[in-house]
Amino acid sequence: MQKLVLLGDEAIAQGAIDAGLTAIYAYPGTPSTEITEYAIRSKEARNGQITAQWTANEKTALEAAIGVSYAGKRAMACMKHVGLNVAADPFMNSAITGVNGGLVIVSADDPSMHSSQNEQDSRFFGKFAQMPVLEPVNQQEAYDMMAYAFDLSERLNIPVLMRITTRLAHSRAGVQCVSEKRQQNSFGLPKDSRQFVLLPSIARRNYKMLLNNWPLIEQESEISGFNEYIDGTDKSLGIIATGIAFNYLMENFENRVIPFPVVRISQYPEPTEMIRKLYDSVDKILILEEGYPMIEDRLKGTLNTGKTIHGRLDGTISRDGELNPTIIAKALNKHIPETLPPSDVVVSRPPALCAGCPHIDSYNALNEALAEAGQGHVLADIGCYTLGALEPFMAVNSCVDMGASITMAKGAADAGLHPAVAVIGDSTFTHSGMTGLLDAIIHQTPITVVILDNGTTGMTGGQPSEATGRLEDICLGLGVEKDHIHVLNPIKKYHDENVAIIKKEFDYQGVSVIIPRRECIVTLNARLRHIKAQKAKS
Amino acid sequence: MKTDIILGGVGGQGILSISAIIGTAAVEKGLYVKQAEVHGMSQRGGDVMSNLRLSSEIIYSDLIPKGQVDIIIGVEPMEALRHKAMLNPEGWLVTNSTPFINITNYPELEDVYAEVRKIKNHILIDADAIAKQVGSVRASNVVMLGAAAPFLNIPEDAFFTAIQRIFGSKGEDVVQLNIDAFKAGFAEAQKVIESK
Ligand SMILES: Cc1ncc(C[n+]2csc(CCOP(=O)(O)OP(=O)(O)O)c2C)c(N)n1
Ligand code: SF4
């Protein structure tokens, strides 16, 4: 048995590999990225024993994973929470098809929005699809749960959603791994050849099977061992703590003994019997959830006529944001020792584009081209280049969801905005930009689409971009006129030339595509360092 | 035994590597470790921090409770101060004095140093200058690690093993540079401690 120091993300990947994983697919997204990075680096992937790949987006990732399951093998798709929105269609329907090989979907939530547009709580998606949800309390449990998740998936014929949050994803701890890896499943198509055919008649049958299965899924939550009733002598309060909130609770008690009865929840649907027992034996209840007040809301119900329930809904804990041990101490009315006052010389240091980043030159050119038109013309997207919304550029006016730049520019143009400019990164373009571009081409909408091609998926740490080497071909293939596709070199020397090209395209009454192309400085430097190291070795 | 550490700096300054060295050294010595890192958006030149907890007992929370931090290690002085309210008033703040200025409203440096000196137990050293002396300014993060080492309750040899393990793939000279940087930081901190 080997003990490794792993990020929560890495523990999940290692746990899956040790549980007989055949394939893992993902589109990068903080805080989920390191799961797939770890799997890609693993010796199993390098030897070709498992497939570990980045995909165009989260939907294609999950669909590929469903295909692996169809063929009888164990598969996984990983994404950040908003990625699950993109993959929602296959996600919801995979609960109806059921599985052949075990299927686990990992969604990493980002409470406090460290690197995200929202802090949506993926547990709701599990409930929505009627799938079991696992929410590990720590790195070890994340590892251990993978084997259980695949077994459960195959046993109950249902995909399993694993929900983690930033703090676990990006925190390292020692993880004890099993000494013997499970063999991969052998290839085998579903016994029922119509299982994955969701024609209404079959879907109705499958859905009934899912509903009939629900009591078994509920029962799992009582007996799997991942949910726990921990009795306490002081019945004035009962505590429900989900996922890593349990750690913050424990942190607040000397010798790690809690005087109150506690239900610790790491598996959903939440264990009704344990919660009932707690509710019946205590005076009032405190609910600690890293995320939305999901259990709290259900327990209170619409009328809230039962016992007093404290949590995020009554203001005991802030309604938004990540938990920490100090927030829990306050909720428990614990004395918080006097601390040093914060230093008032400290000012905020927001993230910024790297020195030498190609996006800097692109924004300088775009800003100058738009000088006459004024503010409000640039619909942008998600990536490093979103930082163009801040000083000193103040260059972009939107960032909603991946791909929305092109489609919002189209809508704004339809409503009368001129020039209407979309700014989108190369990876974001192949994630969700291509279909929107097709809409604009079909309708000859006058928009100027700037695809910032830095040859990588920069924001999430430089994963390969599926757009690399084929952007012009994609645009031509979709139907952009050849004369209205321009590749620019975004460096100071060509600034005036670049401004002139962009300005000219504003006048075109159709779709123009401008591609400023220069490699991301970070990946460039990494590449140069690598070459230097190789040379030094030989 | 329990040591709670916050590392503060700017994205790209090498906090994650020193965090990894300490973590590896602690595991080497049979301690429990939890190390919460910042990945993502802030790594683009924003403020980044790491919560690092070492203990002979099981550690539950990945985050350190307010006021319980034993050591703040700053690879940049304002970033060290950012976490001041987390520090146990009896704890140590150990920081590099060389600022990283990528914002227009960076405070007066003397004001920053004055704030550092207000903290009862502090070490303020020019890690960039020391790193340059031993070979490369890029090792200034490891100089800071050396300067904090007297407070970490981990024997020196465990750090050397960890440096070997983490930098080994980059060649022997990189390992040696970092060991030298560690020793230089350690010696500098000793001077300050002895003068107290
Ligand atoms: C649906 C969804 N998936 C993933 C992400 C995470 N994410 C944000 S930006 C980005 C990559 C952007 O790459 P690119 O468009 O090439 O721009 P760059 O960062 O390289 O400038 C990713 C993966 C997200 N915000 N939303
Ligand atoms: S990582 Fe690359 S794309 Fe992102 S800001 Fe830095 S240089 Fe620009």
Side-chain angles (χ1 to χ4, degrees):
Chain A
M1 288 233 265
Q2 203 189 356
K3 194 161 190 179
L4 302 173
V5 178
L6 298 176
L7 291 175
D9 275 351
E10 297 173 340
I12 288 172
Q14 187 64 53
I17 293 170
D18 292 349
L21 181 80
T22 292
I24 171 172
Y25 304 96
Y27 183 73
T30 314
S32 69
T33 311
E34 292 80 0
I35 305 171
T36 310
E37 283 187 330
Y38 184 91
I40 289 174
R41 279 200 314 268
S42 71
K43 73 172 187 304
E44 288 79 2
R46 284 182 283 122
N47 294 343
Q49 291 160 312
I50 65 167
T51 300
Q53 291 172 355
W54 297 117
T55 57
N57 63 39
E58 293 84 355
K59 179 173 181 285
T60 65
L62 178 49
E63 288 158 352
I66 296 172
V68 173
S69 166
Y70 169 80
K73 302 212 169 208
R74 293 186 162 188
M76 199 163 134
C78 309
M79 57 207 70
K80 70 182 287 163
H81 58 342
V82 288
L84 189 50
N85 301 336
V86 176
D89 204 4
F91 179 78
M92 295 301 294
N93 292 316
S94 67
I96 313 292
T97 60
V99 306
N100 185 21
L103 176 61
V104 177
I105 298 120
V106 183
S107 179
D109 295 355
D110 190 17
S112 280
M113 305 179 224
H114 299 282
S115 293
S116 305
Q117 313 103 286
N118 73 30
E119 58 174 30
Q120 68 185 64
D121 185 330
S122 297
R123 295 177 300 167
F124 283 86
F125 256 120
K127 178 83 176 171
F128 192 18
Q130 301 174 76
M131 269 183 209
V133 180
L134 301 175
E135 188 188 13
V137 68
N138 57 31
Q139 293 78 353
Q140 182 69 54
E141 193 169 82
Y143 174 88
D144 296 338
M145 269 179 172
M146 292 314 296
Y148 170 76
F150 282 114
D151 288 347
L152 179 67
S153 172
E154 286 169 3
R155 187 152 46 84
L156 294 184
N157 183 28
I158 181 115
V160 172
L161 174 64
M162 171 89 127
R163 183 250 186 181
I164 55 170
T165 56
T166 309
R167 222 30 91 175
L168 178 63
H170 288 167
S171 175
R172 280 176 213 281
V175 173
Q176 195 73 58
C177 300
V178 296
S179 45
E180 264 195 47
K181 269 199 216 347
R182 182 188 179 280
Q183 289 287 314
Q184 291 185 28
N185 291 353
S186 47
F187 177 92
L189 297 182
K191 276 195 224 74
D192 169 6
S193 66
R194 290 153 75 82
Q195 178 189 345
F196 285 81
V197 187
L198 294 185
L199 273 170
S201 58
I202 303 170
R204 281 193 287 269
R205 178 203 69 181
N206 281 10
Y207 185 46
K208 276 213 171 27
M209 289 192 323
L210 169 60
L211 295 175
N212 289 338
N213 243 346
W214 191 247
L216 290 176
I217 295 173
E218 280 185 320
Q219 198 197 359
E220 275 296 320
S221 290
E222 304 284 347
I223 60 175
S224 70
F226 292 120
N227 296 329
E228 237 182 311
Y229 188 97
I230 308 162
D231 210 0
T233 47
D234 184 346
K235 313 282 185 200
S236 63
L237 181 71
I239 302 173
I240 297 174
T242 68
I244 64 170
F246 179 73
N247 298 332
Y248 302 143
L249 176 67
M250 288 295 269
E251 191 69 34
N252 275 289
F253 293 92
E254 287 291 323
N255 307 323
R256 312 298 172 228
V257 179
I258 303 173
F260 313 108
V262 176
V263 176
R264 163 175 111 73
I265 298 181
S266 284
Q267 180 168 0
Y268 306 82
E270 60 273 29
T272 315
E273 287 314 314
M274 291 185 199
I275 293 176
R276 189 193 314 282
K277 184 171 159 197
L278 184 85
Y279 190 90
D280 289 345
S281 55
V282 300
D283 299 340
K284 58 180 185 191
I285 293 186
L286 172 66
I287 306 190
L288 310 173
E289 297 178 81
E290 179 80 314
Y292 289 2
M294 184 181 87
I295 294 192
E296 187 181 346
D297 194 31
R298 283 194 209 142
L299 212 57
K300 270 190 157 158
T302 308
L303 300 180
N304 188 20
T305 47
K307 290 183 177 169
T308 304
I309 295 175
H310 295 302
R312 288 194 189 262
L313 290 174
D314 74 340
T316 302
I317 297 170
S318 164
R319 180 65 178 74
D320 62 338
E322 187 185 10
L323 299 175
N324 63 40
T326 312
I327 292 173
I328 305 303
K330 285 186 190 141
L332 291 163
N333 294 319
K334 291 226 159 208
H335 169 72
I336 296 167
E338 207 44 44
T339 60
L340 300 171
S343 267
D344 48 18
V345 300
V346 176
V347 295
S348 70
R349 194 190 298 259
L353 295 172
C354 306
C357 173
H359 300 335
I360 296 176
D361 296 280
S362 300
Y363 277 130
N364 285 338
L366 183 62
N367 273 351
E368 190 170 325
L370 281 167
E372 272 166 51
Q375 277 287 309
H377 291 267
V378 182
L379 289 307
D381 229 296
I382 309 189
C384 287
Y385 53 94
T386 314
L387 296 169
L390 308 177
E391 293 284 5
F393 307 103
M394 308 296 278
V396 310
N397 308 102
S398 74
C399 157
V400 179
D401 66 272
M402 289 189 76
S405 56
I406 297 178
T407 32
M408 279 180 70
K410 179 183 188 302
D414 290 343
L417 183 72
H418 186 80
V421 181
V423 172
I424 185 166
D426 54 331
S427 178
T428 306
F429 179 70
T430 45
H431 178 288
S432 292
M434 299 186 292
T435 44
L437 185 62
L438 186 59
D439 283 346
I441 291 163
I442 302 272
H443 297 284
Q444 277 294 305
T445 316
I447 59 172
T448 308
V449 178
V450 180
I451 308 177
L452 300 170
D453 184 8
N454 59 357
T456 191
T457 315
M459 179 92 269
T460 43
Q463 296 76 21
S465 161
E466 293 200 349
T468 302
R470 48 177 72 83
L471 266 181
E472 291 94 310
D473 286 345
I474 292 173
C475 294
L476 281 171
L478 289 172
V480 183
E481 297 287 336
K482 192 160 187 278
D483 293 345
H484 295 282
I485 301 178
H486 302 276
V487 178
L488 311 183
N489 184 355
I491 55 174
K492 272 212 187 76
K493 191 167 130 193
Y494 297 119
H495 176 79
D496 293 340
E497 197 176 306
N498 292 344
V499 172
I501 294 171
I502 299 171
K503 263 180 113 162
K504 184 148 173 275
E505 287 305 326
F506 289 162
D507 296 332
Y508 176 55
Q509 286 305 306
V511 175
S512 331
V513 172
I514 312 255
I515 308 174
R517 174 171 293 145
R518 177 153 73 78
E519 187 175 359
C520 157
I521 284 289
V522 172
T523 54
L524 175 69
N525 287 341
R527 208 155 49 77
L528 295 181
R529 268 201 307 276
H530 185 72
I531 294 172
K532 207 172 134 196
Q534 291 303 94
K535 270 203 191 130
K537 259 186 206 162
S538 62
Chain B
M1 174 268 169
K2 172 177 93 64
T3 313
D4 284 336
I5 308 159
I6 281 187
L7 298 105
V10 182
Q13 276 195 308
I15 287 206
L16 291 187
S17 8
I18 51 176
S19 207
I21 297 170
I22 303 172
T24 308
V27 170
E28 174 87 3
K29 288 293 147 197
L31 296 174
Y32 289 97
V33 174
K34 276 213 166 180
Q35 178 191 329
E37 306 173 351
V38 172
H39 296 210
M41 191 108 179
S42 314
Q43 283 179 300
R44 305 268 156 276
D47 57 288
V48 292
M49 61 105 94
S50 168
N51 273 239
L52 180 55
R53 317 192 70 188
L54 319 175
S55 173
S56 48
E57 312 284 316
I58 287 186
I59 305 162
Y60 282 90
S61 170
D62 299 273
L63 295 175
I64 306 165
K66 205 171 170 186
Q68 278 190 35
V69 172
D70 301 300
I71 303 140
I72 294 176
I73 306 176
V75 291
E76 204 279 346
M78 183 178 80
E79 293 311 325
L81 283 175
R82 190 180 300 282
H83 309 290
K84 183 182 156 205
M86 295 295 293
L87 189 66
N88 180 327
E90 295 304 315
W92 282 83
L93 183 139
V94 183
T95 185
N96 185 4
S97 62
T98 308
F100 186 97
I101 303 180
N102 63 346
I103 45 175
T104 50
N105 59 338
Y106 194 93
E108 284 298 322
L109 211 44
E110 273 315 314
D111 295 347
V112 174
Y113 294 158
E115 277 292 306
V116 170
R117 293 195 184 100
K118 271 194 215 160
I119 292 165
K120 185 175 146 202
N121 299 320
H122 69 267
I123 291 181
L124 181 65
I125 62 173
D126 189 347
D128 283 41
I130 297 168
K132 231 175 264 163
Q133 270 169 22
V134 299
S136 164
V137 71
R138 288 186 55 191
S140 74
N141 58 338
V142 179
V143 171
M144 286 320 303
L145 167 61
F151 314 105
L152 295 176
N153 304 315
I154 298 173
E156 226 178 11
D157 64 295
F159 286 111
F160 297 148
T161 314
I163 288 174
Q164 179 71 45
R165 197 170 302 162
I166 284 164
F167 293 109
S169 65
K170 296 186 178 165
E172 249 340 280
D173 41 340
V174 178
V175 172
Q176 196 52 49
L177 168 71
N178 282 292
I179 290 181
D180 292 345
F182 180 93
K183 286 183 175 161
F186 193 91
E188 199 63 26
Q190 284 304 345
K191 277 191 232 159
V192 180
I193 298 166
E194 277 158 23
S195 69
K196 279 226 157 199

